[in-house]
Amino acid sequence: MDFNDNEKEAAFRAEVRKFLDKNAKKRTNTSSSSANAAAPETLRGKEAQVKALQDAKNWQAKKAEAGFAGILWPKEFGGFGGTPIEQVIYQQEELNYFVHSGYFEIGIGMLGPTMMVWGKDEDKIKYLPKMLNGEEIWCQLFSEPSAGSDLAGIKMKAEKDGDEWVLNGQKVWTSGAHFADYGMIVARSDPSALKHKGLTYFFLDMKTPGIEVKPIEQISGSSNFNEVFFNDVRIPDTQRLGNEGDGWKVSLTTLMNERLAVGDPAGLDFDEIFEITRDLEVEDGLAINNSEVRQKMADWYVQSRGLKYTKYRSITALSKGQTPGPELSISKLVTASKMQDVSSYALDLMDMGGYVLDEQNAILNNVFQNGLLFSTAMRIAGGTDEVLRNIIAERVLGLPQDTREDKIKPFNELPSGK
Amino acid sequence: MDFNDNEKEAAFRAEVRKFLDKNAKKRTNTSSSSANAAAPETLRGKEAQVKALQDAKNWQAKKAEAGFAGILWPKEFGGFGGTPIEQVIYQQEELNYFVHSGYFEIGIGMLGPTMMVWGKDEDKIKYLPKMLNGEEIWCQLFSEPSAGSDLAGIKMKAEKDGDEWVLNGQKVWTSGAHFADYGMIVARSDPSALKHKGLTYFFLDMKTPGIEVKPIEQISGSSNFNEVFFNDVRIPDTQRLGNEGDGWKVSLTTLMNERLAVGDPAGLDFDEIFEITRDLEVEDGLAINNSEVRQKMADWYVQSRGLKYTKYRSITALSKGQTPGPELSISKLVTASKMQDVSSYALDLMDMGGYVLDEQNAILNNVFQNGLLFSTAMRIAGGTDEVLRNIIAERVLGLPQDTREDKIKPFNELPSGK
Amino acid sequence: MNFDFSDDQKLLQEQARKFLTDKCSRKLVRSVLDNNKNQYSKELWQEVVNMGWTATAIPEEYGGLGLGMLELCVIAEELGRSLAPIPFSSSIYIFAEFLKAYGSEDQKKQYLPKIASGELIGSFAFPETKGTPRTNNINSKVENDKLSGKKLPVNDGQVADVLIVAANSDNNQNHNSLSLYIVETNQAGVEEKLLDTLDPTRPSSQIEFSNVACSVLGEKGEGWSMIQNILNRAAVLFAFEQVGGAQVALDEAKKYSIERYAFGKPIGSFQALKHKMADMYVKNELAKSNAYYGAWALSTDSMELPVAAAGARVSATEAFHYASKENIQIHGGVGFTWEYDCHLFYRRSKLLSLNLGSIRKWKENLISNLEKRNIT
Amino acid sequence: MNFDFSDDQKLLQEQARKFLTDKCSRKLVRSVLDNNKNQYSKELWQEVVNMGWTATAIPEEYGGLGLGMLELCVIAEELGRSLAPIPFSSSIYIFAEFLKAYGSEDQKKQYLPKIASGELIGSFAFPETKGTPRTNNINSKVENDKLSGKKLPVNDGQVADVLIVAANSDNNQNHNSLSLYIVETNQAGVEEKLLDTLDPTRPSSQIEFSNVACSVLGEKGEGWSMIQNILNRAAVLFAFEQVGGAQVALDEAKKYSIERYAFGKPIGSFQALKHKMADMYVKNELAKSNAYYGAWALSTDSMELPVAAAGARVSATEAFHYASKENIQIHGGVGFTWEYDCHLFYRRSKLLSLNLGSIRKWKENLISNLEKRNIT
């Protein structure tokens, strides 16, 4: 039981560090960076956003040149041909530098692999290199107003017209739609088929006429997501991935790759709240000397470190070439509620002044006030608490699925409500 | 907003007090009595049990003579012909005396009213007076190994044989079956009908050949419940209540009367744990001076008093002739888990010695150690936490029922497992 | 046993609910949310004044209606339900109660009629820093009858014409001699700055005082106990606002869960959400019952008030926090959008829970008062 | 990164699980439960000794196998899973560790070989009253080299041949001078009385000492810090027992919920139960991970041990408490019967959680050690 790389891993890590040291600026303080992570990107202002995107593209190009852009991608598509543990090592190391790869994660992590499995050779040659080097950004157009937790409940119409398909409907929660060049989309091509059988999968140019992108304003003030409206959007049948009616099957390729694409949940944690208990005064003196505060701190420490060591166990599994365990499914579930609870409690410690957001006066750059708002989204986006518990219950513990009438009736006969 | 009886109520209360003062011994300390309530009756030993039953019967006879045995029963059956608020007042007052009416609650509260609605006149005359005066005790034979939360899942076979019915199967969780003279029972007369349609309701003499009663040993060491086995138990068709196949409808009469028959959940609460925090030492001195202990105490105080005042609101509704609110459904739900949490926490305060049950050394007569065990039953018996939450969600909040396949398929085609 | 509001009070409730449904739409609430330079809804304030609500519990001799605190509880619940963006709590639950309890005859005559008529808005300036206000972190002071110091946050400070300010009194720099002063804000040396806060529908300010005129309220050096008493009284009224908000949060969660379908059925038929809403309901009912007990203690000036107020406050704070956060969760994706109203309740919940001091502090209050009661 | 047990250790785990499935049936556990005059299962103890488990982490020079603490962690998890009714923890996790850490060469030679061979059973006599053991409530004392005092509860006290006893030392009545003594129980003046406890499968006693012979362990006056250190070490091992128990409680809940039907479907398909089991799973995984970290710290004698041990202990205590109580709940009616096994886990959970001191105390330990770490 140790925390060291094996020989091959250590060599790879050294190689990565060498590349990063040469090409990027190292962070000095990791704790403040994690605190800032809760302040969403879009709060930074338009101009800064444009600059950040360009910086990221420049960085991605450098990574691609050095072969690190797609650790898991096969070499034939410009990838590193590496292993999951190498992917983890790369991510661990990159986190220590002032660079940002988030814009490309969905493309490289999920959509590229989908193209590799289901795309035509000429498309792979045409799209994958630019996806990898950041020249073209891709987004994933899956969720809809009526297809959130129930992802297969997609209503977006895809109607065939000669060699073309006409798309009508609305997607939602689309990350990066406002800067993406391409997207992959699932739509309903046969409403009279079973829910999971009437879908078809396409890719498309986001500049295709009839597509309108509208940012969604969140309560935290940021707009990480978009609504995307489709009005008679025509795309050629050559942009279909997989057969007509096989859209769900193709989607699963995309979704199965989600695990590795999604990074650590951002945000405030034990260390931040522990820090402020040493400054704030409660009714009987410094918060950290109050036994109730201490007991609460212990709870969060144990959760926080429990997740960290669970991750170590997963990395160990990866390092041995095994499938990682349950890390991802429990990590967001625990982290999101922890963030909400920690935030709320921190404001309670600040007492009457806890709701003030003023920058000069607030503590740790408003991390707890932002966290109170941001955590609500975190408990929902990317799988609600409830969906995650279902996944653990059914996929990890093997408990039986509930009766699912929506699996046995034609889609257009299902009640659908609001 | 006040806590006083109205004039009529005050007069009734005075009348009740007069009767009680004259005929029973008053308790001096209510707090210790509530603490003792968590120690189940059957822990007291066989002989004491027999005596307690005889005492209760004597007391019930006195009550019947004075007209107080069945406050809600119509006068024609020896009842008081009173109102629900009078029932509450009587119960409140009786609690202050060393008497015990628990043996008769199911009969008078639930089974008697069922007989009144569904019984033949000669049976009413024959059975109700002796039920009321405690001469004959009745029990309710509903639950079965496969029909707990799913009460209509009854499998007990009732097969017609001429003018008789033959019962075969098993009942369980039958309170008082070991001292009951009569019982009311629901059984399945048509397994090929829908679940709720194939049942028939009977009453029977518990001495009928073929009935075997076996106490269930609980983890708390008590045996409040029984298993009751039926082997070719023959009862005449005249003991049927309601039509063949109407058993569920008749059961609902019994169950609808449950609300008023069930008293306060017994047990330890805020006052008991608050008491020990003033004696026990934790790491930094007396528990009550520790801020974590204080915050926990506040939580339980608020729950405990919240329930009490909710009850006041229900009594107010009764007093105004309105239907009481949600009191019963939330009371047991909150109380049972509170008891479990309070017990567990109290033992934590006792630290390394908390698990010791020795009478000389343990605190408050082992109320917390007993509570830790007893609360597990309380969260289940009479409706599990989960069933109570369903009831609140569906009946109080009006949320939709889940799809229920077991309501649309014949009973004998339903999967039934263990 | 008549543990309920009277028929008249229930009629008042009905009227108030109808009135606010009409006059305090979500659009009106959002007009303050989206532009908190508006600071509060002047239309709604005027309507509320016209209804006589600001005058409710002020004695007739000072221009009020002379009704009881129970009527104020009824109104508070409705204001909480409707998220009313007006400085009602600061001016009525706190400022007016300070004056009623501790004002001299002259002070009462000077301020209460104008508070009752809505001409003046009052508020309370207490904390100066993040963390619990304590004897060692209140630095405002009065020297030669002039007040200096900096207070933040002052809820409704930007619209308050007159403030109660907690400060160290001039004859004694000892920190145990906190005193209260009445300060009019329309004078040189008072500087207000609107703050960004979590609930822009009920804005707060920083207020700096530099040698400004003030008049002492009540006994000098008795500030802490006066504050405690008025916070206890206000806590019951806040609890009713919180209970009101929590009930609407549950109602809206319920409504959405019945209308919204997933997997071919309404999401309200899934046990996870059902049980969540059942838990909301339980917390709300307990909070309501505890608030009723607080109302009884408040309206009868019972010795039980400190315990009853703390109980009401703790229970209501928990209920509203839970209901408002889980209402977002039940709404799923739309729940955390600006467009849907869920966040209005979530923001208000946190504002109300901190405004009179955190739940931790009230739990501590509850237990110390229980200890005191046990001793006597 | 290799945050896992080695292949050899996994093989040991597999063997241990198979062995205990075979030798430690529920029937065997119940033979002690139903008659706690049996005090422990002598057959199982002998089998365990024969397997060499008692010798695992005792150095070869003292008759042990000289394996590491990780091997002991592996065994602990399996003993926890099987609810083994034997005094393993008292004798091996605590008594032997005291001797290993603080025994003189003579003391080690005298006791460790017999502990390793199972000939002797050791235990630890520390608390004297309900409430947290503190400097002011340990009254046992040694005068003229003779120990007097009363200890309760002493887990496995009734079967212990030799005890570590915490007492005030003879040369100093100052309560800060707690010292440890080795006391053999087979002498006049030692009186044991079996206690009724919540977990009769692991009985405890009251032990009274009247002027009995004893030999000091380690430095006089250093009792508290020695106790703290050994409790930290034992906490990691207890955490593994707790993690093992919690996993079986979840497994049995799962199994029952799949086999048991209500409303025409397996109860394990109801979201309320699914989510409960998902929560159990999450707590169990976190506990397991924290226990692994504790194992690492224990096996490497890391400075991190106090923090790692407390983290492991807190997390495992919570997980087992939750899993064992909700396992009963998922079983419904049969869950609280004597006949079903759910209560065995519930009892054991509470015993293990109190035996080394309550979770409150370990949370406090965790934070004070974090503070210390931050200072250095």
Side-chain angles (χ1 to χ4, degrees), chain B residues 1-6 9 85 92 270 274 278 288-289 291 293-299 301-303 305-307 309-313 315-316 319-320 322 325-326 329-330 333-334 385-390 392-394 396-403, chain C residues 1-7 9-10 70 250 254 257-258 265-266 268-271 273-279 281-282 285-286 288-290 292-293 295-296 299-300 304 307 310-312 314-315 318 359-364 366-368 370-371 373-374:
Chain B
M1 205 171 254
D2 64 58
F3 303 103
N4 306 321
D5 289 334
N6 67 29
E9 291 160 8
I85 186 70
Q92 286 175 336
F270 171 79
F274 194 51
R278 283 168 290 178
I288 188 56
N289 296 327
S291 64
V293 174
R294 294 168 77 82
Q295 297 270 320
K296 272 271 195 319
M297 291 305 117
D299 290 337
Y301 181 85
V302 161
Q303 277 188 9
R305 297 314 188 256
L307 284 178
Y309 306 137
T310 301
K311 195 167 171 184
Y312 286 2
R313 287 168 55 208
I315 292 174
T316 300
S319 163
K320 294 183 179 171
Q322 298 156 356
S329 50
I330 78 176
L333 178 61
V334 175
D385 290 359
E386 290 73 25
V387 164
L388 294 175
R389 288 200 178 90
N390 275 350
I392 292 172
E394 292 174 9
V396 183
L397 298 177
L399 289 166
Q401 265 209 349
D402 201 355
T403 29
Chain C
M1 179 74 65
N2 185 11
F3 191 56
D4 199 358
F5 289 99
S6 70
D7 288 346
Q9 287 155 355
K10 285 183 181 170
L70 290 179
L250 169 55
K254 200 174 85 177
S257 80
I258 293 172
K265 48 191 184 183
S269 69
F270 286 99
Q271 253 188 354
L273 300 200
K274 272 176 149 154
H275 287 194
K276 200 188 275 300
M277 286 184 267
D279 288 342
Y281 175 78
V282 169
E285 284 302 309
L286 295 182
K288 191 171 179 179
S289 300
N290 279 309
Y292 272 38
Y293 189 66
W296 166 81
S299 67
T300 56
E304 276 282 276
V307 166
V314 168
S315 197
E318 267 170 5
I359 189 167
R360 293 186 67 264
K361 200 183 111 185
W362 285 97
K363 286 184 185 175
E364 177 52 38
L366 174 58
I367 299 302
S368 11
L370 276 178
E371 287 180 302
R373 192 174 70 177
N374 276 352

Side-chain angles (χ1 to χ4, degrees), chain B residues 342-390:
Chain B
V342 163
S343 298
S344 183
Y345 188 77
L347 301 200
D348 285 347
L349 291 180
M350 297 176 201
D351 206 49
M352 294 184 174
Y355 60 86
V356 176
L357 263 160
D358 187 296
E359 240 176 84
Q360 284 161 292
N361 299 290
I363 289 165
L364 286 186
N365 197 22
N366 293 323
V367 65
F368 300 107
Q369 286 83 359
N370 286 326
L372 191 79
L373 300 176
F374 182 67
S375 56
T376 61
M378 201 171 163
R379 285 181 61 197
I380 292 164
T384 63
D385 290 359
E386 290 73 25
V387 164
L388 294 175
R389 288 200 178 90
N390 275 350

Side-chain angles (χ1 to χ4, degrees), chain D residues 137-148:
Chain D
N137 60 21
I138 299 289
N139 294 311
S140 293
K141 61 184 171 195
V142 171
E143 279 175 332
N144 307 319
D145 297 327
K146 299 286 185 187
L147 169 75
S148 293

Side-chain angles (χ1 to χ4, degrees), chain D residues 82-131:
Chain D
S82 63
L83 298 167
I86 50 173
F88 197 87
S89 57
S90 301
S91 199
I92 305 303
Y93 309 160
I94 304 180
F95 184 88
E97 291 299 311
F98 266 123
L99 264 282
K100 279 164 65 184
Y102 304 110
S104 67
E105 191 55 28
D106 282 354
Q107 287 170 335
K108 287 181 185 173
K109 276 191 187 145
Q110 185 178 356
Y111 294 111
L112 286 177
K114 287 182 182 165
I115 291 288
S117 72
E119 267 172 85
L120 286 187
I121 291 171
S123 188
F124 176 41
F126 180 27
E128 302 184 358
T129 173
K130 285 209 162 43

